Amino acid sequence: VAVGIHYILTTTHPLFYLSELSPRVTKEYFKKYKWPEIAENEAFFNKRNKTQYLPVKNWLQNTLPNSIYKQLYNTVNYGYSNPIQRTTYNEWEKVLSSVQEAPIITKFNSTSKQVLLGNDLILEWDIQNSTSVKIDGGIGIVKSNDKIKIKPSKKTTYKLTAENAFGKTEQTIEIEVLPQSKILEFKSKHQKIGFGNTTQLVWNVDNVEKVELNIGGRIELLPNKGEKNINPTEHTNYILITTALDSITKTEKEVTVQVFKKIEIISFQSDFQFVVQSIPITLTWQVENANKIILEDDIGKQIDVTNNSKFVEQIKKDNSYRIRYKNDLFDAVSDKIAINLLENKKEFELNNIL
């Protein structure tokens, strides 16, 4: 029965691609392959039917109703040499009767009914008992069971039409295309402020469902456009989060506001005010809120001592020192320290005792 049905469908024997249908060749074939597969360089491949093989195989696997293909597959592969495994007359009657109706669309859906402009989504379908399937909307002829990516540029209706000898079935999906969300503006009027001062966040967004502001993990809902006074006490990151019109896609933009305190000079001193040339002086200092420290003397020398808290030097003549402290907003200058050079050690000791 299976051979006869195959002849009716394709005008060929199921194993037409073998060089001969002898028990020897068919036995060797089924040791290595499952119908309808075969390597075209196989010794028992019928090269005279080479041009016919692939079209027939593709039609069987992609166009023939799956219920018929399944029975042919089982009968040829397992019943060719074992009659017990063959599909019976009654089973063939049920299978053939089932396909003598219009195609059945068991699935036709998309990952979403809305998509942002420029994004893609998946269209998927599954159809039974069809001989031809097409989808309008710029897609065209397709397989009975498949899925593809689509990227519509405007609102589009995709109509699936499945046909066979007994009729056709149609189904549609409408995809709405939404504009992409835009953060037109998000900034702080001041990127750096003094401790205790206030500045403003400014924002303007378009094509969004929701706007949120994340301040250190605390979330606030915002209108699409506005200003907000902020008074941070330390360096703070502000994250604007928008949810697009598809209710899924999020966009973020971050603004950092740095906070600086006024410089506080706690101390600046020398271990000696009078010194002989052989003895070095040690300058020490304490300061808060400075990120740049420059030591200056009357000779015109400037030394960056930012990462230090002391400076040691042997002077060769009277000199004075002061320190300039800076951060991104403020600066401060210490009082001068004068160091006098004495002629001899006794005078140095006397002055220090006094």
Side-chain angles (χ1 to χ4, degrees):
V1 176
V3 173
I5 290 173
H6 195 279
Y7 263 115
I8 293 171
L9 294 173
T10 67
T11 69
T12 64
H13 187 281
L15 300 177
F16 73 96
Y17 47 79
L18 296 183
S19 58
E20 58 181 81
L21 296 178
S22 65
R24 178 184 61 82
V25 171
T26 55
K27 183 178 180 181
E28 186 68 23
Y29 168 72
F30 285 116
K31 280 183 182 180
K32 299 177 67 176
Y33 299 99
K34 285 283 191 295
W35 176 90
E37 304 294 338
I38 190 173
E40 294 184 10
N41 61 355
E42 188 64 66
F44 44 76
F45 178 71
N46 188 345
K47 294 180 173 55
R48 288 177 298 176
N49 291 335
K50 182 176 181 179
T51 57
Q52 194 177 2
Y53 170 64
L54 281 179
V56 170
K57 174 187 166 187
N58 289 336
W59 184 86
L60 289 168
Q61 293 179 328
N62 299 317
T63 303
L64 183 69
N66 187 60
S67 56
I68 297 178
Y69 178 81
K70 183 178 179 181
Q71 296 305 323
L72 287 172
Y73 182 90
N74 290 335
T75 297
V76 175
N77 286 312
Y78 305 109
Y80 198 83
S81 58
N82 184 2
I84 296 175
Q85 298 292 326
R86 297 173 186 174
T87 302
T88 66
Y89 287 101
N90 289 337
E91 288 171 336
W92 272 119
E93 183 180 6
K94 291 178 183 178
V95 170
L96 294 174
S97 297
S98 70
V99 300
Q100 293 178 22
E101 59 183 5
I104 299 172
I105 300 174
T106 58
K107 180 196 297 182
F108 183 44
N109 54 38
S110 62
T111 47
S112 175
K113 296 296 178 66
Q114 296 179 325
V115 64
L116 295 179
L117 181 64
N119 290 1
D120 53 40
L121 47 77
I122 301 296
L123 201 62
E124 186 174 11
W125 59 93
D126 186 7
I127 303 160
Q128 295 180 357
N129 306 330
S130 63
T131 55
S132 70
V133 182
K134 69 175 181 177
I135 301 177
D136 294 340
I139 297 177
I141 303 298
V142 295
K143 297 178 182 178
S144 297
N145 306 282
D146 207 352
K147 59 183 177 180
I148 59 171
K149 282 185 180 181
I150 57 173
K151 187 185 291 187
S153 59
K154 60 182 179 179
K155 187 175 182 178
T156 303
T157 298
Y158 295 93
K159 183 171 76 170
L160 182 150
T161 303
E163 295 186 70
N164 63 20
F166 305 98
K168 70 178 179 179
T169 308
E170 296 178 340
Q171 192 171 325
T172 61
I173 290 178
E174 187 174 80
I175 304 298
E176 183 180 6
V177 179
L178 305 171
Q180 288 277 3
S181 61
K182 296 178 182 178
I183 299 178
L184 302 173
E185 182 180 31
F186 180 50
K187 67 179 183 179
S188 172
K189 288 186 177 180
H190 304 89
Q191 283 73 49
K192 300 174 183 179
I193 63 171
F195 181 81
N197 291 345
T198 298
T199 189
Q200 292 78 37
L201 291 177
V202 181
W203 68 92
N204 184 13
V205 302
D206 196 14
N207 303 327
V208 301
E209 181 182 89
K210 184 169 61 175
V211 186
E212 298 170 294
L213 181 65
N214 183 338
I215 310 173
R218 180 171 58 86
I219 304 295
E220 290 183 27
L221 283 175
L222 299 177
N224 286 10
K225 183 178 181 179
E227 293 188 8
K228 177 182 176 64
N229 288 333
I230 54 173
N231 183 23
T233 57
E234 60 184 356
H235 294 350
T236 303
N237 295 326
Y238 297 88
I239 305 172
L240 189 75
I241 307 168
T242 64
T243 302
L245 295 173
D246 65 353
S247 305
I248 299 172
T249 307
K250 294 184 181 294
T251 305
E252 297 184 0
K253 188 171 182 179
E254 185 172 323
V255 165
T256 300
V257 177
Q258 296 178 291
V259 179
F260 296 91
K261 294 181 179 181
K262 290 184 177 180
I263 293 170
E264 183 179 352
I265 300 173
I266 298 171
S267 66
F268 176 46
Q269 57 192 15
S270 171
D271 55 350
F272 297 120
Q273 286 182 295
F274 302 95
V275 69
V276 293
Q277 189 170 347
S278 60
I279 297 178
I281 61 164
T282 300
L283 301 174
T284 58
W285 55 88
Q286 285 183 286
V287 66
E288 291 184 352
N289 309 321
N291 55 29
K292 186 83 169 177
I293 304 175
I294 303 295
L295 178 66
E296 300 177 341
D297 64 13
D298 279 351
I299 302 172
K301 182 168 59 177
Q302 291 187 333
I303 302 173
D304 188 336
V305 292
T306 300
N307 297 317
N308 300 291
S309 59
K310 69 178 182 178
F311 177 77
V312 179
E313 184 174 57
Q314 285 182 283
I315 65 172
K316 298 180 180 179
K317 63 178 181 178
D318 293 350
N319 205 349
S320 294
Y321 298 88
R322 66 178 178 184
I323 294 184
R324 294 187 181 274
Y325 306 92
K326 294 182 179 182
N327 62 30
D328 286 38
L329 291 182
F330 303 104
D331 54 49
V333 182
S334 70
D335 293 333
K336 278 189 176 183
I337 294 178
I339 309 296
N340 297 305
L341 185 66
L342 303 178
E343 295 298 327
N344 58 69
K345 190 173 181 182
K346 288 184 179 179
E347 186 180 357
F348 164 72
E349 292 172 348
L350 175 61
N351 275 287
N352 280 287
I353 290 170
L354 291 174

